[in-house]
């Protein structure tokens, strides 16, 4: 049974000339481009923790790969290979077929080769590992931010958290089928000083850049790009934006002299400076944001 399943996965996976050996042997063998470094990231999605039955198997397949690709986008890397570890309560061919369809359609969009994995029985969980390339020494990290750097984000922030809180009623694509920001990653990698993907919430993730770069950040709530559905929903919209997670947008810093290189669909939200941590301003007044992502609203919120 398990081998039928692996054969079915193999028959659908497209591989290119970078792969000498893909699914079917004891290990995969791939060719790394000359002058490049291997960039590796892995993430696990567990049923009941990272997804529930509001997501279709196809959406789960998409998201399992997307969250990993987002990490490589944050590194300025080009994803090339992926492995897929499936832990399944039972062999449900229909579920796996749908899951694989979602997974492989995203893989094909970015020409990523599924080269192996593992299939075991147990509570539903999915572990994906992506392997990508970056020119030697060119990886974008969290540590490179400089004092005075502008801070930018891609897309809109807070949509996924909003959708989750509102029982998937609006902006559900942002939650269930996030788009990894691989194109923008390639456009910014030549001039960005630091980068992270927003998976745990903007404050937490920008906070990682601050800590890693030994700097502070000041951001302005009004400048953060937020979908109007989120802003119109509740006076507490800023908690989705600042502390919600699952955005899979990029947050990066760069020198103001490179402003003309900023791609479309990016917004400047603040600036790096001395100090520690992230300070948030609304109407030019600092607003208090408790740790753990809880926000004490004040008069500056709608
Ligand atoms: P082994 O016992 O050597 O680990 P497996 O039976 O686990 O072999 O796997 C056989 C082949 O199928 C390997 O190439 C493995 O990478 C691949 N494979 C197993 N499960 C998956 C999966 N869920 N997705 C993709 N490839 C898989
Ligand atoms: Mg195995």
């Amino acid at each position: 049974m398990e081998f039928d399943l692996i054969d079915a996965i193999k028959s659908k996976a497209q591989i290119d000339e970078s792969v000498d050996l893909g699914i079917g042997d004891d290990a995969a063998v791939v060719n790394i481009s000359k002058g490049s470094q291997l960039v590796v990231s892995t993430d696990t999605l567990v049923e009941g923790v990272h997804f529930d039955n509001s997501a279709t198997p196809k959406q789960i397949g998409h998201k399992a790969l997307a969250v990993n690709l987002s990490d490589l986008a944050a590194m300025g890397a080009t994803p090339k290979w992926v492995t897929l570890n499936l832990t399944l309560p039972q062999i449900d061919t229909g579920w796996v077929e749908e899951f694989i369809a979602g997974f492989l359609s995203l893989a094909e969009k970015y020409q990523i080769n599924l080269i192996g994995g593992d299939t075991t029985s147990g509570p539903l969980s999915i572990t994906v590992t992506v392997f990508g390339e970056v020119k030697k020494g060119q990886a974008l990290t969290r540590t490179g931010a400089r004092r005075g750097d502008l801070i930018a984000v891609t897309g809109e922030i807070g949509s996924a958290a909003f959708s989750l809180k509102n029982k998937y009623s609006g902006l559900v694509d942002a939650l269930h089928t996030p788009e990894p920001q691989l194109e923008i990653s390639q456009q910014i990698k030549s001039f960005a000083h630091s980068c992270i993907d927003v998976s745990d919430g903007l404050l937490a993730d920008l906070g990682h850049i601050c800590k890693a770069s030994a700097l502070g950040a000041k951001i302005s709530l009004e400048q953060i790009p937020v979908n109007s559905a989120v802003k119109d929903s509740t006076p507490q919209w800023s908690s989705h934006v600042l502390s919600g997670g699952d955005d899979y947008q990029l947050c990066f810093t760069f020198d103001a002299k490179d402003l003309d290189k900023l791609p479309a669909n990016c917004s400047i939200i603040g600036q790096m400076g001395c100090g520690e941590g992230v300070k948030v301003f609304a109407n030019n007044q600092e607003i208090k944001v408790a740790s753990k992502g809880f926000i004490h609203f004040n008069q500056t919120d709608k």
Side-chain angles (χ1 to χ4, degrees), residues 12 18 144 189 197-198 201 292:
K12 296 191 179 95
S18 70
K189 69 176 186 185
D197 69 321
V198 183
K292 293 186 186 162

Side-chain angles (χ1 to χ4, degrees), residues 2 117-120:
E2 172 193 328
D118 202 21
T119 307
T120 53

Side-chain angles (χ1 to χ4, degrees), residues 2-3 5-7 9-10 13 21-28 82-88 96 99-100 103 114-120 127:
E2 172 193 328
F3 298 110
L5 202 72
I6 297 171
D7 280 344
I9 294 174
K10 182 179 178 177
L21 265 182
I23 296 172
D25 215 303
D26 291 313
V82 63
T83 61
L84 171 62
N85 292 10
L86 286 174
T87 305
L88 305 168
V96 174
F99 173 91
I100 288 292
F103 185 95
L114 175 60
I115 54 166
D118 202 21
T119 307
T120 53
T127 297

Side-chain angles (χ1 to χ4, degrees), residues 101-163:
F103 185 95
L104 287 180
S105 86
L106 185 62
E108 276 156 31
K109 178 168 181 184
Y110 293 107
Q111 288 135 42
I112 300 157
N113 303 275
L114 175 60
I115 54 166
D118 202 21
T119 307
T120 53
S121 79
L124 182 58
S125 122
I126 302 138
T127 297
V128 174
T129 306
V130 285
F131 305 82
E133 293 183 332
V134 74
K135 286 268 165 288
K136 197 167 169 52
Q138 307 276 296
L140 270 178
T141 64
R142 302 174 178 189
T143 58
R146 299 180 201 163
R147 196 153 54 89
D149 270 3
L150 298 178
I151 304 164
V153 293
T154 61
E156 292 175 330
I157 304 294
S159 300
F162 167 79
S163 181

Side-chain angles (χ1 to χ4, degrees), residues 147-148 214-218 272-277 279:
R147 196 153 54 89
L215 290 171
K218 281 185 185 174
M272 301 299 295
C274 295
E276 261 182 29
K279 290 194 162 77

Side-chain angles (χ1 to χ4, degrees), residues 15-301:
I15 47 168
D16 63 27
E17 68 289 343
S18 70
V19 180
D20 277 4
L21 265 182
I23 296 172
D25 215 303
D26 291 313
V29 180
V30 300
N31 298 296
I32 300 168
S33 310
K34 197 159 178 259
S36 288
Q37 290 176 303
L38 194 60
V39 183
V40 183
S41 183
T42 190
D43 265 312
T44 296
L45 271 66
V46 178
E47 184 179 37
V49 180
H50 300 95
F51 61 90
D52 60 19
N53 57 17
S54 77
T56 65
K58 200 168 172 189
Q59 290 171 328
I60 298 167
H62 174 104
K63 188 163 180 176
L65 179 56
V67 302
N68 278 276
L69 297 182
S70 179
D71 282 319
L72 286 208
M75 299 300 292
T78 303
K80 296 200 66 167
W81 309 285
V82 63
T83 61
L84 171 62
N85 292 10
L86 286 174
T87 305
L88 305 168
Q90 73 269 328
I91 300 252
D92 177 344
T93 314
W95 190 95
V96 174
E97 269 177 13
E98 263 202 70
F99 173 91
I100 288 292
F103 185 95
L104 287 180
S105 86
L106 185 62
E108 276 156 31
K109 178 168 181 184
Y110 293 107
Q111 288 135 42
I112 300 157
N113 303 275
L114 175 60
I115 54 166
D118 202 21
T119 307
T120 53
S121 79
L124 182 58
S125 122
I126 302 138
T127 297
V128 174
T129 306
V130 285
F131 305 82
E133 293 183 332
V134 74
K135 286 268 165 288
K136 197 167 169 52
Q138 307 276 296
L140 270 178
T141 64
R142 302 174 178 189
T143 58
R146 299 180 201 163
R147 196 153 54 89
D149 270 3
L150 298 178
I151 304 164
V153 293
T154 61
E156 292 175 330
I157 304 294
S159 300
F162 167 79
S163 181
L164 187 65
K165 279 274 156 52
N166 288 278
K167 298 276 173 273
Y168 320 108
S169 53
L171 305 178
V172 75
D173 290 351
L175 179 66
H176 286 331
T177 50
E179 189 66 29
Q181 297 300 306
L182 289 160
E183 274 166 35
I184 291 187
S185 157
Q186 290 305 304
Q187 291 162 8
I188 64 168
K189 69 176 186 185
S190 65
F191 69 93
H193 290 160
S194 67
C195 188
I196 193 166
D197 69 321
V198 183
S199 54
D200 295 333
L202 181 61
L203 284 187
D205 289 315
L206 179 55
H208 291 316
I209 288 187
C210 288
K211 196 165 180 207
S213 301
L215 290 171
K218 281 185 185 174
I219 61 172
S220 149
L221 190 58
E222 296 92 350
Q223 285 176 255
I224 303 173
V226 180
N227 192 288
S228 55
V230 178
K231 273 196 176 162
D232 294 345
S233 69
T234 151
Q236 282 87 25
W237 61 269
S238 58
S239 73
H240 300 316
V241 172
L242 296 172
S243 310
D246 260 9
D247 290 303
Y248 304 106
Q249 298 294 338
L250 299 179
C251 176
F252 57 99
T253 77
F254 64 102
D255 195 307
K257 75 170 166 42
D258 292 317
L259 197 54
D260 58 331
K261 297 182 187 144
L262 194 67
N265 203 28
C266 292
S267 311
I268 292 167
I269 61 164
Q271 197 165 24
M272 301 299 295
C274 295
E276 261 182 29
V278 185
K279 290 194 162 77
V280 186
F281 289 78
N283 299 329
N284 292 320
Q285 278 189 307
E286 186 176 353
I287 58 170
K288 287 274 168 283
V289 182
S291 56
K292 293 186 186 162
F294 185 81
I295 299 172
H296 298 288
F297 295 99
N298 65 9
Q299 77 287 355
T300 57
D301 279 285

